[in-house]
Amino acid sequence: MNFSILGTGSALPVCIKTNDDLSKIVDTNDEWISTRTGIKERRICGEEPLSDIASVAASNALENAGINAADLDLIICATISGDYITPSLACIIQSKIKATCPAFDVSAACTGFIYALDVAAGYFARGKFKKILIVAADAMSKLIDWKDRATCVLFGDAAGAVVLTAGDDLLSIKLTATGDATALSAPNVTGNCPFGQIPQTQPYLSMNGQEIYKFAVSAMCNDITDVVNEAGLTKDQIDYVLPHQANIRIIEAAQKRLKMAKDKYLTNIKSYGNTSAVSIPLLLDDANRSGKFKKGDLLALSAFGAGLTTGACVIRWNK
Ligand SMILES: CC(C)(COP(=O)(O)OP(=O)(O)OC[C@H]1O[C@@H](n2cnc3c(N)ncnc32)[C@H](O)[C@@H]1OP(=O)(O)O)[C@@H](O)C(=O)NCCC(=O)NCCS
């Protein structure tokens, strides 16, 4: 026993910044950003706290699932950029949507949604909970250095959510972690402890882009191959791949190496950039609401991110 997806939701900040907008604040241009990454524009939480966006995504998923917040047994939020370090973003969402169930965050950066799915599957296996809400929400705009053209053009802010009920639609799942803070990291608050001896690092996300690029392509290929095999399927039987949206070139390289048809790969990077944990639930919600998926479709989800973490799974669409 694991889960079935009952409903999906998403929400975006109102502020849209195009590549041309960014070229006014750092030495970059639309041609470089679009050819190297596939990104044309992104949303920024400029006017609203992340918890507002996350709560709207949660409410949309509840409505799509046809249940009330009071029906929830658990809220899991995948985030690395909540309004507070504590309380968790999950607790703030719980209060905003007027739920009363337990709530906690999962921290696995861009892989957070897949990690949260596996945590939820464990709760359903225990048979204790009937309805679980997962919200993925990130405002990477708070973590990046807006003077660093190598990183500030890549990310965007958004929230996506799914409501899960007990079922058998998770056919396989794989998580990995390779602890390494040099490839990609964002420091925590340092405070003003007068006894602190540890040198302070710059307070922004830093990244080795080329190292992550190579890691990402092989992780995506290995993980998708593993979860498809574990599900007892072949790659041809997968109807859609929902890959993490970090760079269109990463997605295309993995797609070519895996020899899967290009039109099976869903993308939204052009409009939203890398939305961290939200990439995949945002793709799910767009596809659900546009009627792209039909009952029984087999979806392969694959993500990678800071940690370094990776995760992939195969889900049967049963809505
Ligand atoms: C970041 C990334 C787009 C950079 O692309 P790249 O082709 O590797 O580019 P490089 O870093 O080699 O930089 C090439 C040149 O472009 C310049 N450059 C970097 N950012 C630029 C920008 N926004 N605009 C214009 N030029 C830029 C660099 O300074 C460098 O100039 P130089 O050759 O004069 O030194 C790419 O490596 C990537 O997507 N990596 C994965 C990152 C990722 O997925 N992170 C999130 C993980 S969840």
Side-chain angles (χ1 to χ4, degrees):
M1 173 68 68
N2 48 71
F3 60 74
S4 289
I5 297 176
L6 260 192
T8 67
S10 61
L12 296 160
V14 289
C15 171
I16 301 175
K17 290 293 169 201
T18 63
N19 292 343
D20 286 339
D21 292 328
L22 298 199
S23 71
K24 295 186 184 108
I25 58 170
V26 284
D27 180 13
T28 190
N29 54 72
D30 176 52
E31 208 264 331
W32 192 97
I33 302 171
S34 30
T35 54
R36 300 271 181 146
T37 71
I39 301 166
K40 288 299 259 184
E41 59 186 43
R42 71 286 291 143
R43 302 296 182 102
I44 307 288
C45 271
E47 298 171 27
E48 58 284 89
L50 180 61
S51 57
D52 278 7
I53 308 289
S55 302
V56 173
S59 298
N60 290 343
L62 289 169
E63 194 185 2
N64 189 243
I67 69 161
N68 299 314
D71 301 325
L72 290 172
D73 298 303
L74 179 67
I75 299 171
I76 306 171
C77 184
T79 187
I80 52 167
S81 52
D83 296 358
Y84 308 94
I85 287 185
T86 191
S88 66
L89 185 54
C91 283
I92 305 295
I93 295 166
Q94 187 242 37
S95 145
K96 288 194 175 182
I97 66 172
K98 300 190 170 36
T100 53
C101 57
F104 61 86
D105 287 355
V106 164
S107 171
C110 303
T111 319
F113 181 67
I114 310 275
Y115 267 68
L117 287 176
D118 202 32
V119 174
Y123 275 97
F124 286 119
R126 281 167 62 198
K128 204 175 164 199
F129 291 160
K130 294 191 167 58
K131 301 279 183 300
I132 297 180
L133 169 70
I134 296 179
V135 185
D138 268 314
M140 297 299 286
S141 61
K142 294 192 292 193
L143 304 183
I144 52 188
D145 179 359
W146 283 92
K147 294 193 173 100
D148 175 15
R149 68 177 182 173
T151 51
C152 77
V153 302
L154 302 176
F155 296 95
D157 304 343
V162 291
V163 175
L164 305 177
T165 189
D168 289 308
D169 293 330
L170 177 68
L171 305 186
S172 59
I173 189 159
K174 171 187 175 184
L175 305 179
T176 78
T178 310
D180 172 13
T182 59
L184 176 52
S185 64
N188 209 330
V189 290
T190 47
N192 66 350
C193 172
F195 312 109
Q197 300 287 322
I198 303 165
Q200 309 225 340
T201 49
Q202 60 152 358
Y204 308 112
L205 179 144
S206 62
M207 181 183 79
N208 181 333
Q210 289 180 358
E211 194 182 324
I212 300 277
Y213 189 102
K214 282 185 248 154
F215 169 80
V217 175
S218 37
M220 216 170 236
C221 293
N222 292 339
D223 289 353
I224 290 177
T225 303
D226 287 351
V227 291
V228 168
N229 288 342
E230 191 195 324
L233 299 166
T234 63
K235 283 178 283 179
D236 293 346
Q237 290 174 282
I238 298 295
D239 295 290
Y240 294 102
V241 179
L242 286 72
H244 174 49
Q245 309 281 302
N247 187 323
I248 196 71
R249 291 186 297 141
I250 293 175
I251 297 168
E252 287 171 357
Q255 173 254 322
K256 282 186 190 133
R257 214 184 275 182
L258 284 165
K259 299 189 173 58
M260 293 172 81
K262 193 174 179 182
D263 59 3
K264 289 186 174 183
Y265 280 68
L266 307 189
T267 65
N268 61 24
I269 189 166
K270 187 176 173 190
S271 311
Y272 308 127
N274 178 348
T275 54
S276 186
V278 190
S279 283
I280 291 174
L282 201 51
L283 289 170
L284 260 182
D285 189 46
D286 281 351
N288 176 24
R289 283 167 197 270
S290 66
K292 191 171 189 67
F293 298 150
K294 55 183 191 313
K295 204 174 163 78
D297 273 352
L298 295 169
L299 317 179
L301 284 49
S302 173
F304 57 86
L308 298 169
T309 55
T310 78
C313 62
V314 175
I315 293 177
R316 189 189 305 111
W317 184 254
N318 212 353
K319 203 174 138 46

Coordinates of all heavy atoms in Angstrom, one line a residue, residues 76-80 106-119 134-138 140 155 173-178 184 212 215-216 219-220 223 227 242-246 274-281 301-313:
I76 N 3.1 17.7 4.5 CA 4.6 17.7 4.3 C 4.9 18.8 3.3 O 4.3 18.9 2.2 CB 5.0 16.4 3.8 CG1 4.5 15.2 4.6 CG2 6.6 16.3 3.7 CD1 4.8 13.8 3.9
C77 N 5.9 19.7 3.7 CA 6.3 20.7 2.8 C 7.7 20.5 2.4 O 8.6 20.3 3.2 CB 6.1 22.1 3.4 SG 6.5 23.4 2.3
A78 N 8.0 20.4 1.1 CA 9.3 20.3 0.6 C 9.8 21.7 0.3 O 9.3 22.4 -0.6 CB 9.3 19.5 -0.7
T79 N 10.8 22.2 1.0 CA 11.3 23.6 0.8 C 12.7 23.8 1.4 O 13.0 23.0 2.3 CB 10.3 24.6 1.5 OG1 10.7 26.0 1.1 CG2 10.3 24.5 3.0
I80 N 13.4 24.8 0.9 CA 14.7 25.2 1.6 C 14.6 26.7 1.8 O 15.6 27.3 2.1 CB 15.9 24.8 0.7 CG1 15.8 25.3 -0.7 CG2 16.2 23.3 0.8 CD1 17.1 25.3 -1.5
V106 N 10.4 19.0 4.7 CA 11.5 18.1 4.3 C 12.5 18.9 3.5 O 12.1 19.7 2.7 CB 10.9 17.0 3.4 CG1 12.0 16.3 2.6 CG2 10.1 16.0 4.1
S107 N 13.8 18.8 3.8 CA 14.8 19.6 3.2 C 15.7 18.7 2.3 O 16.5 18.0 2.8 CB 15.7 20.3 4.3 OG 16.8 20.9 3.6
A108 N 15.4 18.7 1.0 CA 16.2 18.0 0.1 C 16.4 18.8 -1.2 O 16.5 18.3 -2.3 CB 15.7 16.6 -0.2
A109 N 16.3 20.1 -1.1 CA 16.5 21.1 -2.2 C 15.6 20.7 -3.4 O 14.4 20.4 -3.2 CB 18.0 21.2 -2.6
C110 N 16.2 20.7 -4.6 CA 15.4 20.5 -5.8 C 14.8 19.1 -5.8 O 13.8 18.8 -6.6 CB 16.2 20.8 -7.0 SG 16.8 22.4 -7.1
T111 N 15.3 18.1 -5.0 CA 14.8 16.8 -5.0 C 13.7 16.6 -3.9 O 13.1 15.5 -3.7 CB 15.9 15.8 -4.7 OG1 17.1 16.1 -5.4 CG2 15.5 14.3 -5.1
G112 N 13.4 17.7 -3.2 CA 12.5 17.7 -2.1 C 11.1 17.0 -2.3 O 10.6 16.3 -1.5
F113 N 10.5 17.3 -3.5 CA 9.2 16.7 -3.8 C 9.3 15.2 -3.8 O 8.4 14.5 -3.3 CB 8.7 17.3 -5.1 CG 7.3 16.8 -5.5 CD1 6.2 17.1 -4.7 CD2 7.1 16.0 -6.6 CE1 4.9 16.7 -5.0 CE2 5.8 15.5 -6.9 CZ 4.7 15.9 -6.1
I114 N 10.3 14.6 -4.4 CA 10.4 13.2 -4.5 C 10.7 12.6 -3.1 O 10.1 11.5 -2.8 CB 11.6 12.7 -5.5 CG1 11.5 13.5 -6.8 CG2 11.6 11.2 -5.7 CD1 10.6 12.9 -7.9
Y115 N 11.5 13.2 -2.3 CA 11.7 12.8 -1.0 C 10.4 12.8 -0.2 O 10.1 11.9 0.5 CB 12.7 13.7 -0.2 CG 14.2 13.2 -0.3 CD1 14.9 13.2 -1.5 CD2 14.8 12.7 0.8 CE1 16.2 12.7 -1.6 CE2 16.2 12.3 0.8 CZ 16.8 12.3 -0.4 OH 18.1 11.8 -0.5
A116 N 9.6 13.9 -0.4 CA 8.3 14.0 0.3 C 7.4 12.9 -0.1 O 6.6 12.3 0.7 CB 7.7 15.4 0.1
L117 N 7.4 12.5 -1.4 CA 6.5 11.4 -1.9 C 6.9 10.1 -1.1 O 6.0 9.4 -0.7 CB 6.7 11.2 -3.4 CG 6.0 12.3 -4.3 CD1 6.4 12.0 -5.8 CD2 4.5 12.4 -4.1
D118 N 8.2 9.9 -1.0 CA 8.6 8.7 -0.3 C 8.2 8.7 1.2 O 7.8 7.6 1.7 CB 10.1 8.5 -0.5 CG 10.5 7.0 -0.3 OD1 9.7 6.1 -0.7 OD2 11.6 6.8 0.2
V119 N 8.3 9.8 1.8 CA 7.9 9.9 3.2 C 6.4 9.6 3.3 O 5.9 8.9 4.2 CB 8.2 11.3 3.8 CG1 7.6 11.5 5.2 CG2 9.7 11.6 3.8
I134 N 1.0 17.2 0.2 CA 2.4 17.6 0.0 C 2.4 19.0 -0.8 O 1.8 19.1 -1.8 CB 3.2 16.6 -0.9 CG1 3.3 15.3 -0.2 CG2 4.6 17.1 -1.2 CD1 4.0 14.2 -0.9
V135 N 3.2 19.9 -0.2 CA 3.3 21.2 -0.9 C 4.8 21.4 -1.1 O 5.6 21.2 -0.2 CB 2.8 22.4 0.0 CG1 2.9 23.7 -0.8 CG2 1.4 22.2 0.5
A136 N 5.2 21.7 -2.3 CA 6.6 22.0 -2.6 C 6.6 23.5 -2.9 O 5.7 24.0 -3.6 CB 7.1 21.3 -3.9
A137 N 7.4 24.3 -2.2 CA 7.4 25.7 -2.3 C 8.8 26.3 -2.1 O 9.5 25.9 -1.2 CB 6.5 26.3 -1.3
D138 N 9.3 27.1 -3.1 CA 10.6 27.7 -2.9 C 10.6 29.1 -3.5 O 10.0 29.3 -4.5 CB 11.7 26.8 -3.6 CG 12.3 25.8 -2.6 OD1 12.6 26.3 -1.4 OD2 12.4 24.6 -2.9
M140 N 13.7 30.9 -4.4 CA 15.1 30.9 -4.5 C 15.6 32.3 -4.6 O 16.8 32.6 -4.4 CB 15.6 30.1 -5.7 CG 15.2 28.6 -5.6 SD 16.0 27.8 -4.2 CE 17.7 27.7 -4.8
F155 N 17.1 30.9 -11.5 CA 16.1 30.4 -10.6 C 14.8 31.3 -10.7 O 14.8 32.4 -11.2 CB 16.6 30.4 -9.2 CG 17.7 29.4 -9.0 CD1 19.0 29.9 -9.1 CD2 17.5 28.1 -8.7 CE1 20.1 29.0 -8.9 CE2 18.5 27.2 -8.5 CZ 19.8 27.6 -8.6
I173 N 10.4 3.7 -6.5 CA 10.9 5.0 -6.1 C 12.4 4.8 -5.6 O 12.7 3.7 -5.1 CB 10.1 5.7 -5.0 CG1 10.6 7.2 -4.8 CG2 10.1 4.9 -3.7 CD1 9.6 8.1 -4.1
K174 N 13.2 5.8 -5.9 CA 14.6 5.7 -5.6 C 15.1 7.1 -5.1 O 14.8 8.1 -5.7 CB 15.5 5.3 -6.8 CG 17.0 5.4 -6.6 CD 17.7 5.2 -8.0 CE 19.2 5.4 -7.8 NZ 20.0 5.3 -9.0
L175 N 15.8 7.1 -3.9 CA 16.4 8.3 -3.4 C 17.9 8.1 -3.3 O 18.3 7.0 -3.0 CB 15.8 8.7 -2.0 CG 14.3 8.8 -1.9 CD1 14.0 9.1 -0.4 CD2 13.8 9.9 -2.8
T176 N 18.7 9.2 -3.5 CA 20.1 9.1 -3.2 C 20.6 10.4 -2.6 O 19.9 11.4 -2.7 CB 21.0 8.9 -4.5 OG1 21.2 10.2 -5.1 CG2 20.4 7.9 -5.4
A177 N 21.7 10.3 -1.8 CA 22.3 11.5 -1.3 C 23.8 11.2 -1.3 O 24.3 10.1 -1.0 CB 21.9 11.8 0.1
T178 N 24.6 12.2 -1.8 CA 26.0 12.2 -1.7 C 26.5 13.5 -1.1 O 26.5 14.6 -1.7 CB 26.6 12.2 -3.2 OG1 25.9 11.1 -3.9 CG2 28.1 11.9 -3.2
L184 N 27.2 22.8 -4.5 CA 26.1 23.7 -4.4 C 25.7 23.8 -3.0 O 25.4 22.8 -2.3 CB 24.9 23.0 -5.2 CG 23.6 23.7 -5.3 CD1 23.7 25.2 -5.7 CD2 22.6 23.0 -6.2
I212 N 27.8 20.4 -11.5 CA 26.4 20.0 -11.3 C 25.8 19.5 -12.6 O 25.0 18.5 -12.7 CB 25.5 21.2 -10.8 CG1 26.1 21.8 -9.5 CG2 24.1 20.8 -10.7 CD1 25.6 21.0 -8.3
F215 N 27.0 16.0 -13.2 CA 26.3 15.1 -12.2 C 24.8 14.9 -12.6 O 24.3 13.8 -12.5 CB 26.4 15.8 -10.9 CG 25.6 15.1 -9.8 CD1 26.0 14.0 -9.1 CD2 24.4 15.7 -9.4 CE1 25.2 13.4 -8.1 CE2 23.6 15.1 -8.4 CZ 24.0 14.0 -7.8
A216 N 24.2 16.0 -13.0 CA 22.7 15.9 -13.2 C 22.4 15.0 -14.4 O 21.4 14.2 -14.3 CB 22.2 17.3 -13.5
A219 N 23.0 11.4 -13.3 CA 22.0 11.0 -12.3 C 20.6 10.7 -12.9 O 20.0 9.7 -12.5 CB 22.0 12.1 -11.2
M220 N 20.2 11.6 -13.7 CA 18.9 11.5 -14.3 C 18.8 10.2 -15.1 O 17.8 9.4 -15.0 CB 18.6 12.7 -15.2 CG 17.2 13.2 -15.2 SD 17.1 14.7 -16.0 CE 16.3 15.7 -14.8
D223 N 18.9 7.1 -12.6 CA 17.8 7.0 -11.8 C 16.5 6.6 -12.6 O 15.7 5.8 -12.1 CB 17.5 8.4 -11.0 CG 18.5 8.7 -10.0 OD1 19.3 7.8 -9.7 OD2 18.5 9.8 -9.4
V227 N 14.4 3.2 -11.8 CA 13.0 3.1 -11.4 C 12.1 2.4 -12.4 O 11.1 1.7 -12.0 CB 12.4 4.5 -10.9 CG1 13.1 4.9 -9.6 CG2 12.5 5.5 -12.0
L242 N 8.7 13.6 -16.3 CA 8.7 14.9 -15.7 C 10.0 15.2 -15.0 O 10.2 14.8 -13.8 CB 7.5 15.0 -14.6 CG 6.1 15.0 -15.2 CD1 5.7 13.7 -15.8 CD2 5.1 15.5 -14.2
P243 N 10.9 15.8 -15.7 CA 12.3 16.0 -15.2 C 12.4 17.3 -14.4 O 11.7 18.3 -14.8 CB 13.1 16.0 -16.4 CG 12.2 16.6 -17.5 CD 10.8 16.3 -17.1
H244 N 13.3 17.3 -13.4 CA 13.6 18.6 -12.8 C 14.0 19.6 -13.8 O 14.8 19.3 -14.7 CB 14.6 18.4 -11.7 CG 15.1 19.7 -11.1 ND1 14.2 20.6 -10.6 CD2 16.3 20.2 -10.9 CE1 14.9 21.7 -10.1 NE2 16.1 21.5 -10.3
Q245 N 13.6 20.9 -13.7 CA 13.8 21.9 -14.7 C 15.0 22.8 -14.2 O 14.7 23.9 -13.7 CB 12.6 22.7 -14.9 CG 11.3 21.9 -15.2 CD 11.2 21.3 -16.6 OE1 11.3 22.1 -17.5 NE2 11.2 20.0 -16.8
A246 N 16.2 22.4 -14.5 CA 17.4 23.2 -14.1 C 18.0 23.8 -15.3 O 18.5 25.0 -15.3 CB 18.4 22.4 -13.3
N274 N 14.4 27.6 -13.0 CA 14.5 26.5 -12.0 C 13.8 26.9 -10.7 O 14.3 27.7 -10.0 CB 16.0 26.2 -11.8 CG 16.3 25.1 -10.7 OD1 15.3 24.7 -10.1 ND2 17.5 24.7 -10.6
T275 N 12.6 26.2 -10.5 CA 11.8 26.6 -9.3 C 12.1 25.6 -8.2 O 11.3 25.4 -7.3 CB 10.3 26.6 -9.7 OG1 10.0 25.3 -10.3 CG2 10.0 27.7 -10.6
S276 N 13.3 24.9 -8.2 CA 13.7 24.1 -7.1 C 12.7 22.9 -6.9 O 12.4 22.3 -7.9 CB 14.0 24.9 -5.8 OG 14.5 24.1 -4.8
A277 N 12.3 22.7 -5.7 CA 11.4 21.5 -5.4 C 10.1 21.6 -6.2 O 9.4 20.6 -6.3 CB 11.1 21.4 -3.9
V278 N 9.8 22.7 -6.8 CA 8.5 23.0 -7.3 C 8.4 22.5 -8.8 O 7.3 22.3 -9.3 CB 8.1 24.5 -7.2 CG1 6.6 24.7 -7.6 CG2 8.3 25.0 -5.9
S279 N 9.5 22.4 -9.5 CA 9.5 22.1 -10.9 C 8.5 20.9 -11.3 O 7.7 21.1 -12.2 CB 10.9 21.5 -11.3 OG 11.8 22.5 -11.5
I280 N 8.6 19.8 -10.6 CA 7.9 18.6 -10.9 C 6.4 18.8 -10.6 O 5.5 18.5 -11.4 CB 8.5 17.4 -10.4 CG1 9.8 17.1 -11.1 CG2 7.6 16.2 -10.5 CD1 10.7 16.0 -10.5
P281 N 6.0 19.2 -9.3 CA 4.6 19.4 -9.1 C 3.9 20.5 -10.0 O 2.7 20.4 -10.3 CB 4.5 19.7 -7.6 CG 5.9 20.0 -7.2 CD 6.8 19.3 -8.1
L301 N 9.2 10.5 -12.8 CA 9.6 11.7 -12.3 C 11.1 11.6 -11.9 O 11.5 10.6 -11.3 CB 8.8 12.0 -11.0 CG 7.3 12.5 -11.1 CD1 6.5 11.7 -12.0 CD2 6.7 12.6 -9.7
S302 N 11.9 12.7 -12.2 CA 13.3 12.6 -11.9 C 13.8 13.9 -11.5 O 13.7 14.9 -12.2 CB 14.0 12.0 -13.1 OG 15.4 12.1 -12.9
A303 N 14.5 14.0 -10.3 CA 15.0 15.3 -9.8 C 16.4 15.1 -9.2 O 16.8 14.0 -8.9 CB 14.1 15.9 -8.8
F304 N 17.1 16.3 -9.2 CA 18.5 16.3 -8.6 C 18.7 17.7 -7.9 O 18.0 18.6 -8.4 CB 19.6 16.1 -9.6 CG 19.5 17.1 -10.7 CD1 20.1 18.3 -10.7 CD2 18.7 16.8 -11.9 CE1 20.0 19.2 -11.7 CE2 18.6 17.7 -12.9 CZ 19.3 18.9 -12.8
G305 N 19.5 17.8 -7.0 CA 19.7 19.1 -6.4 C 20.8 19.1 -5.3 O 21.5 18.1 -5.2
A306 N 20.8 20.2 -4.6 CA 21.9 20.3 -3.5 C 21.7 19.2 -2.6 O 20.7 18.6 -2.4 CB 21.7 21.7 -2.8
G307 N 22.9 18.9 -2.0 CA 23.0 17.7 -1.1 C 24.3 17.0 -1.1 O 25.0 16.9 -0.2
L308 N 24.7 16.5 -2.3 CA 23.8 16.4 -3.5 C 22.8 15.3 -3.3 O 23.1 14.2 -2.9 CB 24.7 16.1 -4.8 CG 25.7 17.2 -5.1 CD1 26.7 16.7 -6.1 CD2 25.0 18.5 -5.6
T309 N 21.5 15.6 -3.7 CA 20.5 14.6 -3.6 C 20.0 14.3 -5.0 O 20.0 15.1 -5.9 CB 19.3 15.1 -2.8 OG1 18.9 16.4 -3.4 CG2 19.7 15.3 -1.4
T310 N 19.4 13.1 -5.2 CA 18.7 12.8 -6.4 C 17.5 11.9 -6.0 O 17.5 11.3 -5.0 CB 19.5 12.0 -7.5 OG1 19.6 10.6 -7.1 CG2 20.9 12.6 -7.7
G311 N 16.5 11.9 -6.9 CA 15.4 11.0 -6.6 C 14.6 10.8 -7.9 O 14.6 11.7 -8.8
A312 N 14.0 9.7 -8.0 CA 13.1 9.4 -9.2 C 12.0 8.4 -8.8 O 12.2 7.7 -7.8 CB 14.0 8.8 -10.3
C313 N 11.0 8.4 -9.5 CA 9.9 7.4 -9.2 C 9.1 7.2 -10.5 O 9.1 8.0 -11.4 CB 9.1 7.8 -8.0 SG 8.1 9.3 -8.3

